[in-house]
Amino acid sequence: MTAAIPVPATAHRLSLSGMSCAGCVATVENALKNVPGVTEASVNFAEHTATVQGVVDPKTLIAAVTAAGYGAAELRGAEDESEKEAAELAHYRALLRKFIVAGVVGLPLMLAEPFGLMPMLDTSGGRVFWLAVGAATLGVLIYAGGHFFRGAWKGLRAHNANMDTLIALGTGAAWLYSMLVVAFPGIVPSLARHAYFEAAAIIIALINLGQALEMRARGKTSEAIKRLIGLQPKTARVIRDGKEMDIPISEVGLDETIRVRPGEKIPVDGVIIDGHSSVDESMLTGEPMPVEKKVGDEVVGATLNKSGSFLFQARRIGADTALARIIEMVRRAQSTKPAIGRLADRIAAVFVPAVLIIAVVTFLAWFNFGPEPKLSYTLVATMTVLIIACPCALGLATPISIMVGVGKAAEYGILIRNGEALQQAGQLTAIVLDKTGTVTAGRPTVTALVPAPGWDEPKLLAVTASIETSSEHPLAEAIVAAAKEKGLKLSSAASFEAITGHGVSATVENKKVLFGNARLMEKYRIDLAQLPACAAELAAKAQTPMYLAVDGVAAGIVAVADPVKPDSKAAIARLHAIGLKVVMITGDTRVTAEAVAREVGVDEVLAEVLPGDKATRVAELQQRGEIVGMVGDGINDAPALAQADVGYAIGTGTDVAIESADVTLMRGSLHGVADAIAISRATVRNIKQNLFGAFIYNVFGIPVAAGVLYPLTGLLLNPIIAGAAMAMSSVTVVSNANRLRWFKSGSST
Amino acid sequence: MNAWPVNLAGLALIGLIVWWFWRYRPKAARVAGSQPIEVVVADGVYTPARIEVPAGKPVTLRFLRKDPSPCAEKALFDSLGVSADLPVGKPLDVTVTPPRPGEYEFTCQMRMYRGALVAK
């Protein structure tokens, strides 16, 4: 049956780009109207927006506009958590009210009974009193426990037993039995004439209290998402018709020009078109240093403009901004489960009916073999079994820790794709680091100039830079940059030729110039004897020596090095400290690679590996029984990242669309890898604690409640104690998960 | 008191529990293709809880969460890799595509709310 509920028609608003004339309006409108599910579409040319009614995925609408040759993005209000928080607060207060009402009825009954202050059942005055108590308890069950009974009834009809079923059956049976004793005492043996109204009321009170406390604790588990949503500025200062105006961020359209002044947050993603500034991106990437931005550079919404004022053009809005995608990615990851939680899921799925069966078995066991007053014992044990069993703690154990762990990681600029990656990361035995851009800065610089007799440093650099201007090699960029920095005048190079794996040759100022490695010099029989013998020394210092020869005569050595990131050594020490074998992989020569390896302290070097072979080398490590994490850039190293058990894409900044990586590290420091592994391990440990606690609680709690200890010790659990234990079990699980919020990055210690 | 009737009733009750909660499969609600399927989230159950949908085609479920307790907050389609945060009192559309015929469960985080898409 489909419930008849009033559902408003969904309206989507799109910002359009590329519309140059009014004629485009009809094209876009038709494209939108042809999308299945669309009932109405209208385009406002002045605003460059479209409003679409109907049941349709906004992505389909955007695809339709794009196919028609225009650009589109969904206009969406900034996410607002306040409504959700208000609803949660109202529910929390309602639960507390129910706790108090049920407590006010139950507590005096519970306290008075041991002191014999209650009237006897078998007097007429006593019966009237107990009937009144029964009516008051019924009021409690309806007001404070009504939702359990409704849930139980609806669940029963839907063939789905849940926690409500257990609570409703437990407290309902207590009330019914007690009313039977009060109303028809004759049908119950005299020893078993005992009313359990106080148990029903107190159990309802405690479970409401437990749910209220759990709700409080749960609010904290989603703090990371709230913090990310809170980063979003509310307004943007756009320039329309030459006038600056503040508008809500949901109204910012594609390609609009936006002004950002010093100290303001950048509202959406875009490209600077005028001005320059330094921007603090730490809130998203965790990278502490502000980034310089000039015309043509991308800026990211929610980051903070520090010093200058600039204009930029909006390129990504609404759900497409980096912040929105980060929030989406964290949310999605928070809802995934690692394999470790699957067993609990399977148990949770059959848990309640299994407990119902145990309750029936308990009933029959006490009924057949219990001591007198048999009926009382039977009722108490059965009720206690129903009340103590807690499927919630079991079901919550994994997801709640994942939620806090994944959220905490996001605070450090670490985006974990799913729960599986998190669990795998906890089991790694080896980590493979790509050298360039991971261990080193990825920006080579000229570190030494060694001229041959008759040459000087500026001349050596000028000739080298002249020939390298035409090259696309990363080292060439470093040499040209060094020459420009020194203000050297460069000559034009003719007949340029790249000699793969060796270097380059060209004609500069009518002279035949060769520039490359020792193999190139050997190939052209250049005598290197007249150069100072420093090549080996340079290589040993992780500097790559390159030779220049002019008209067949050696002219000097230019050494280039990619400096190691300042914190790589400390981060690698942390990886060692958590018991990982650290392997560095690079296409560089073994001598250079080993020099870097010595500097940072890795265990094994895989040098001279061609880019396409990195995945194979990772697979070889896996064949040796290692569980391998691979750290590299998300694009060139994609196959190796995919091959590894856990792939870490490092230094992506706010470009979070790295599909090949299990974990995306937005900042460039290797400490991010150590942090990611530490958070993963802490989260998996937390899940294990929760699962252990929840299993042990139920595995011991249910048999004790059923009375297995009674024949040995005479101990039978009071149902009120069972209610308290049940109420606290999920609170304990959530509170334990919340401990993960105190995780601290090892890089700051 | 003669124990036999009670024992027999107990055993019958166990049989009933097994059949009612584990063996019985309620008929799936059939829904017209182009409309979103309204799913009310209240009192511990999704209504409707079993929905027949065509396999290989996108289907939109319009969740209306009436239960404010955090248990009802998420709707997870584990086998389809889709999850949604449901706002209280406001409908939320979730579009999923069951790739092949079969049963695709959707649940809350704790698996107390349980429903299934029966793709045919």
Side-chain angles (χ1 to χ4, degrees):
Chain A
M1 186 193 79
T2 305
I5 49 164
V7 179
T10 313
H12 300 287
R13 284 188 70 218
L14 303 179
S15 168
L16 305 168
S17 66
M19 290 207 311
S20 53
C21 62
C24 306
V25 171
T27 317
V28 175
E29 274 182 356
N30 284 337
L32 289 168
K33 282 177 182 163
N34 286 336
V35 174
V38 170
T39 52
E40 179 61 46
S42 64
V43 169
N44 182 326
F45 181 64
E47 285 182 3
H48 280 214
T49 58
T51 307
V52 184
Q53 303 276 349
V55 177
V56 60
D57 190 341
K59 285 188 199 122
T60 321
L61 298 175
I62 292 168
V65 177
T66 313
Y70 304 90
E74 194 187 4
L75 283 170
R76 217 166 51 163
E79 281 199 63
D80 194 358
E81 281 281 292
S82 57
E83 231 174 82
K84 185 177 167 229
E85 276 172 19
E88 281 177 359
L89 186 66
H91 185 56
Y92 171 73
R93 287 193 175 141
L95 288 170
L96 279 189
R97 269 196 307 276
K98 288 174 177 178
F99 158 67
I100 291 166
V101 169
V104 162
V105 173
L107 197 65
L109 293 173
M110 191 177 84
L111 294 178
E113 189 152 342
F115 300 103
L117 298 175
M118 307 302 268
M120 299 299 284
L121 253 172
D122 40 16
T123 64
S124 59
R127 278 183 68 190
V128 172
F129 171 82
W130 280 107
L131 278 172
V133 169
T137 314
L138 180 63
V140 165
L141 292 187
I142 292 170
Y143 169 71
H147 55 297
F148 300 127
F149 287 88
R150 266 195 311 278
W153 174 240
K154 285 203 168 182
L156 183 71
R157 279 181 23 186
H159 300 259
N160 179 24
N162 52 32
M163 195 192 74
D164 295 340
T165 316
L166 300 175
I167 298 166
L169 277 176
T171 56
W175 186 85
L176 262 180
Y177 176 83
S178 305
M179 277 313 275
L180 207 67
V181 167
V182 174
F184 310 102
I187 64 165
V188 180
S190 59
L191 271 176
R193 280 180 208 154
H194 185 91
Y196 295 96
F197 293 124
E198 89 288 359
I202 294 279
I203 287 166
I204 292 286
L206 287 171
I207 291 171
N208 275 308
L209 176 67
Q211 289 190 342
L213 294 177
E214 183 192 321
M215 193 146 184
R216 258 287 151 92
R218 271 191 182 223
K220 297 193 183 103
T221 61
S222 50
E223 250 176 22
I225 285 284
K226 283 185 200 151
R227 193 188 69 87
L228 285 170
I229 291 171
L231 289 176
Q232 174 93 66
K234 300 267 180 289
T235 58
R237 171 158 283 246
V238 297
I239 300 179
R240 286 180 181 172
D241 304 326
K243 281 187 211 144
E244 288 190 14
M245 57 178 93
D246 285 326
I247 59 164
I249 197 159
S250 57
E251 298 294 318
V252 177
L254 284 175
D255 295 342
E256 277 207 270
T257 304
I258 300 166
R259 176 174 302 285
V260 186
R261 290 168 295 192
E264 284 181 346
K265 274 187 180 172
I266 297 166
V268 295
D269 297 3
V271 175
I272 296 191
I273 51 173
D274 185 40
H276 60 89
S277 184
S278 69
V279 174
D280 176 5
E281 297 185 339
S282 61
M283 59 291 290
L284 291 184
T285 63
E287 188 77 62
M289 294 299 288
V291 189
E292 292 301 319
K293 301 277 184 183
K294 56 184 188 309
V295 172
D297 286 347
E298 284 197 11
V299 285
V300 177
T303 59
L304 185 67
N305 177 30
K306 301 282 276 188
S307 50
S309 172
F310 61 85
L311 293 174
F312 79 99
Q313 198 172 42
R315 290 286 168 85
R316 287 195 298 259
I317 60 170
D320 298 331
T321 62
L323 177 66
R325 285 183 298 152
I326 290 170
I327 292 171
E328 181 56 30
M329 199 165 156
V330 173
R331 270 210 180 119
R332 205 179 299 162
Q334 282 182 328
S335 299
T336 61
K337 264 178 215 159
I340 190 176
R342 305 252 162 83
L343 176 65
D345 273 358
R346 280 203 289 276
I347 294 175
V350 296
F351 186 87
V352 177
V355 171
L356 294 178
I357 292 170
I358 294 172
V360 176
V361 171
T362 304
F363 181 97
L364 294 179
W366 281 95
F367 184 78
N368 288 304
F369 311 112
E372 288 298 340
K374 206 181 264 186
L375 259 186
S376 296
Y377 279 118
T378 304
L379 177 81
V380 167
T382 309
M383 179 163 69
T384 314
V385 166
L386 291 170
I387 295 299
I388 204 163
C390 187
C392 296
L394 210 54
L396 266 180
T398 309
I400 208 81
S401 301
I402 294 276
M403 223 160 124
V404 185
V406 167
K408 190 73 205 174
E411 279 181 33
Y412 286 103
I414 300 163
L415 301 178
I416 298 173
R417 188 164 294 280
N418 53 40
E420 206 56 61
L422 201 131
Q423 188 180 348
Q424 285 276 20
Q427 296 165 344
L428 294 180
T429 58
I431 189 116
V432 180
L433 311 173
D434 178 49
K435 183 184 88 71
T436 307
T438 302
V439 178
T440 64
R443 285 185 296 273
T445 51
V446 173
T447 48
L449 293 163
V450 187
W455 283 72
D456 57 20
E457 288 188 9
K459 195 174 157 195
L460 174 63
L461 186 58
V463 174
T464 317
S466 300
I467 186 171
E468 288 287 53
T469 312
S470 309
S471 168
E472 286 171 357
H473 197 276
L475 295 183
E477 272 177 42
I479 291 167
V480 175
K484 282 189 178 159
E485 198 179 300
K486 289 197 163 77
L488 299 177
K489 190 169 169 288
L490 305 188
S491 312
S492 59
S495 318
F496 177 86
E497 190 191 345
I499 306 156
T500 309
H502 291 79
V504 293
S505 76
T507 307
V508 179
E509 292 170 353
N510 295 323
K511 289 178 179 149
K512 173 84 176 157
V513 177
L514 291 168
F515 182 63
N517 55 23
R519 283 200 299 266
L520 180 73
M521 298 297 124
E522 211 174 288
K523 188 174 172 189
Y524 286 88
R525 299 179 193 287
I526 308 291
D527 182 13
L528 300 177
Q530 55 176 316
L531 291 175
C534 59
E537 194 188 319
L538 289 169
K541 285 196 270 179
Q543 300 179 15
T544 307
M546 314 273 278
Y547 299 88
L548 180 74
V550 178
D551 281 344
V553 180
I557 301 174
V558 178
V560 178
D562 183 7
V564 168
K565 288 179 192 168
D567 56 3
S568 286
K569 189 175 178 183
I572 287 169
R574 282 181 64 202
L575 293 170
H576 277 138
I578 52 179
L580 293 176
K581 175 181 183 171
V582 183
V583 180
M584 192 178 79
I585 194 163
T586 176
D588 270 3
T589 61
R590 177 150 290 278
V591 181
T592 310
E594 277 180 354
V596 174
R598 267 195 307 279
E599 190 177 340
V600 296
V602 302
D603 302 306
E604 192 178 329
V605 178
L606 304 173
E608 295 167 30
V609 180
L610 294 172
D613 290 343
K614 284 182 184 170
T616 319
R617 305 304 284 267
V618 169
E620 281 167 13
L621 279 170
Q622 288 169 320
Q623 277 156 18
R624 273 157 47 187
E626 304 278 8
I627 301 173
V628 182
M630 166 81 203
V631 189
D633 80 71
I635 298 140
N636 298 318
D637 298 326
L641 294 185
Q643 171 65 40
D645 296 283
V646 184
Y648 296 85
I650 194 168
T652 62
T654 46
D655 182 11
V656 294
I658 306 292
E659 290 297 331
S660 54
D662 299 305
V663 180
T664 302
L665 306 165
M666 290 192 276
R667 89 189 132 130
S669 165
L670 268 181
H671 277 298
V673 181
D675 286 340
I677 293 171
I679 291 176
S680 302
R681 288 190 173 184
T683 309
V684 172
R685 200 163 47 238
N686 199 272
I687 292 172
K688 284 182 181 164
Q689 291 160 353
N690 278 347
L691 284 174
F692 179 77
F695 273 117
I696 288 295
Y697 169 83
N698 282 301
V699 164
F700 284 101
I702 294 173
V704 169
V708 291
L709 294 180
Y710 186 82
L712 304 171
T713 62
L715 179 83
L716 191 59
L717 209 57
N718 183 325
I720 291 178
I721 305 280
M726 174 348 189
M728 291 316 292
S729 60
S730 4
V731 180
T732 312
V733 164
V734 179
S735 306
N736 186 48
N738 265 329
R739 290 191 311 118
L740 282 171
R741 291 191 303 130
W742 310 122
F743 177 89
K744 281 267 176 291
S745 160
S747 60
S748 51
T749 54
Chain B
M1 197 190 291
N2 191 346
W4 277 111
V6 176
N7 285 322
L8 279 178
L11 291 175
L13 187 59
I14 291 174
L16 188 67
I17 292 169
V18 170
W19 176 74
W20 188 259
F21 292 114
W22 286 335
R23 313 299 302 177
Y24 183 82
R25 282 279 166 271
K27 236 175 117 183
R30 259 169 209 262
V31 184
S34 59
Q35 292 296 312
I37 301 153
E38 292 154 8
V39 180
V40 180
V41 184
D43 298 322
V45 288
Y46 294 124
T47 312
R50 283 174 68 82
I51 304 158
E52 190 180 311
V53 295
K57 287 191 182 154
V59 44
T60 300
L61 302 187
R62 180 166 289 177
F63 284 97
L64 184 69
R65 173 182 167 201
K66 291 181 174 174
D67 179 353
S69 76
C71 310
E73 193 174 22
K74 284 182 188 284
L76 310 177
F77 295 77
D78 263 352
S79 53
L80 298 172
V82 174
S83 66
D85 284 13
L86 310 179
V88 182
K90 272 198 246 170
L92 181 92
D93 287 357
V94 179
T95 304
V96 294
T97 309
R100 281 174 297 278
E103 275 205 34
Y104 298 86
E105 203 181 30
F106 57 98
T107 66
C108 70
Q109 262 188 331
M110 297 189 292
R111 304 181 84 83
M112 291 291 106
Y113 275 94
R114 298 216 324 263
L117 294 178
V118 184
K120 289 193 171 164

